[in-house]
Amino acid sequence: MGVFLVLLGGIFWAISGVLAEYLFKNDYAVEWVSFYRLLFTGILLLIISLRRKNFVLFKSKNELLSLLIFAFFGLLMTQYGYFKGIFYTDAGTATMMQYSAPIIIMLFVCFRDKKFPKYSEIVALILIVLGIFLLASSGDVANLNLNFWGVFWSIIGAFGVAFYSLSARKIIAKYGLFFVMGMASLFASFVLLSILETKGGLVHYDFSLKAFLAMSGIVLIGTIGAFCLYLKGVELIGVMRASMIACIEPVAAAFMSFLFLGTRYAFLELFAFALIIISIILNAKKN
């Protein structure tokens, strides 16, 4: 059951990327999708986890600062960077590149603990760099800037994932994951809105039924659903096995992008996907 839940959670997260790509192809702005995803995710998670005692967090300046930093550098960078990466490339490619996050975490932990990475970690790092190079340039140094902004924003998202994974552990343990995630999502949506206000504000659209269903899927299936399923799976089978099985996410994103949106991948891109997946597996094994 744990394996099934993690697999389903990974597929749900991949669905969010494909639904976002659908909205972007129908001229919905990344900022619009990101804002409403953060806003409605925050509201729903707070409703689920709302307890009066949790608001004690706001009486501590250190805990409040930790929450705000987590909201900006964790959630906002992760979700906005990921969606920007999809906008400039596609769901499969952006998900693959965001999976450099485990390598970033590995390098940070090695630096913090003042230890040299293991052989498998070095190989994983080489594979991830090579994979990203192939995605960015199609193997041609002269075309290195072909997908520059897609690579740039996906890596920003990867750093967000790394920060998200390593920070706010104390307040999450104290106040609960859903409350901290919900409040951080709400804060991140307000930060994004304030940034957008300096650039003319949030664009408004005539909201079609398909766009409503896509946005609902991003929030309910691709964010809250994926999050809950993955955590329950980790509880049942442990974090090491879960992290290995979660490799289904980039594969599922690329497959669904191909199946439903007609995205086509060249041989070098498929080869790059394989390199990144191998690097993820190598990095997960050392845990």
Side-chain angles (χ1 to χ4, degrees):
M1 178 58 71
V3 171
F4 172 76
L5 292 176
V6 172
L7 280 171
L8 193 58
I11 292 169
F12 277 14
W13 176 256
I15 287 172
S16 75
V18 175
L19 291 175
E21 186 178 348
Y22 165 79
L23 290 173
F24 302 154
K25 286 186 174 181
N26 284 274
D27 299 323
Y28 285 85
V30 174
E31 291 77 11
W32 186 90
V33 177
S34 300
F35 169 73
Y36 282 110
R37 178 187 188 178
L38 287 164
L39 178 66
F40 289 121
T41 297
I43 291 171
L44 290 172
L45 285 177
L46 284 177
I47 290 173
I48 293 171
S49 63
L50 199 58
R51 294 177 184 174
R52 190 174 181 181
K53 65 178 183 179
N54 284 337
F55 288 93
V56 175
L57 179 149
F58 293 97
K59 294 182 179 180
S60 169
K61 290 182 179 180
N62 289 335
E63 290 180 342
L64 180 58
L65 181 61
S66 178
L67 178 67
L68 293 174
I69 292 174
F70 174 68
F72 183 81
F73 291 103
L75 290 183
L76 185 57
M77 279 181 58
T78 297
Q79 299 193 24
Y80 184 67
Y82 178 52
F83 279 175
K84 271 288 192 180
I86 292 173
F87 176 78
Y88 284 108
T89 57
D90 58 77
T93 302
T95 306
M96 287 289 179
M97 287 190 287
Q98 195 178 56
Y99 260 69
S100 59
I103 309 300
I104 296 170
I105 293 170
M106 178 265 291
L107 291 174
F108 172 80
V109 171
C110 289
F111 177 78
R112 183 191 62 189
D113 297 342
K114 297 180 180 179
K115 66 177 184 179
F116 196 75
K118 297 177 181 178
Y119 173 75
S120 62
E121 295 170 338
I122 296 173
V123 173
L125 180 60
I126 293 171
L127 291 177
I128 198 77
V129 170
L130 180 57
I132 291 172
F133 168 77
L134 291 174
L135 289 176
S137 65
S138 297
D140 186 353
V141 177
N143 293 327
L144 189 58
N145 291 328
L146 181 64
N147 293 311
F148 173 79
W149 288 112
V151 174
F152 172 80
W153 283 109
S154 296
I155 296 302
I156 289 292
F159 273 97
V161 171
F163 189 90
Y164 165 98
S165 302
L166 295 167
S167 67
R169 292 184 179 182
K170 289 183 180 179
I171 59 172
I172 288 173
K174 186 174 180 179
Y175 297 102
L177 196 51
F178 288 156
F179 177 79
V180 173
M181 282 286 297
M183 193 59 70
S185 296
L186 211 56
F187 282 153
S189 70
F190 294 153
V191 171
L192 182 57
L193 183 61
S194 65
I195 294 172
L196 293 175
E197 287 299 324
T198 65
K199 300 181 178 180
L202 198 64
V203 179
H204 297 285
Y205 297 95
D206 294 328
F207 211 35
S208 67
L209 177 60
K210 287 184 178 180
F212 173 78
L213 292 175
M215 199 66 218
S216 299
I218 288 172
V219 173
L220 297 174
I221 299 174
T223 307
I224 296 175
F227 186 65
C228 295
L229 287 167
Y230 180 77
L231 285 180
K232 186 61 180 177
V234 169
E235 182 183 324
L236 293 174
I237 65 174
V239 67
M240 186 180 75
R241 288 187 67 198
S243 65
M244 290 284 289
I245 295 164
C247 292
I248 192 66
E249 292 177 22
V251 179
F255 177 74
M256 284 187 284
S257 186
F258 163 77
L259 191 64
F260 296 111
L261 299 176
T263 303
R264 295 293 185 268
Y265 298 102
F267 172 77
L268 276 177
E269 291 174 312
L270 295 174
F271 181 63
F273 289 169
L275 292 178
I276 294 172
I277 291 172
I278 292 170
S279 74
I280 296 165
I281 293 171
L282 286 172
N283 194 52
K285 279 185 176 181
K286 61 100 178 178
N287 292 322

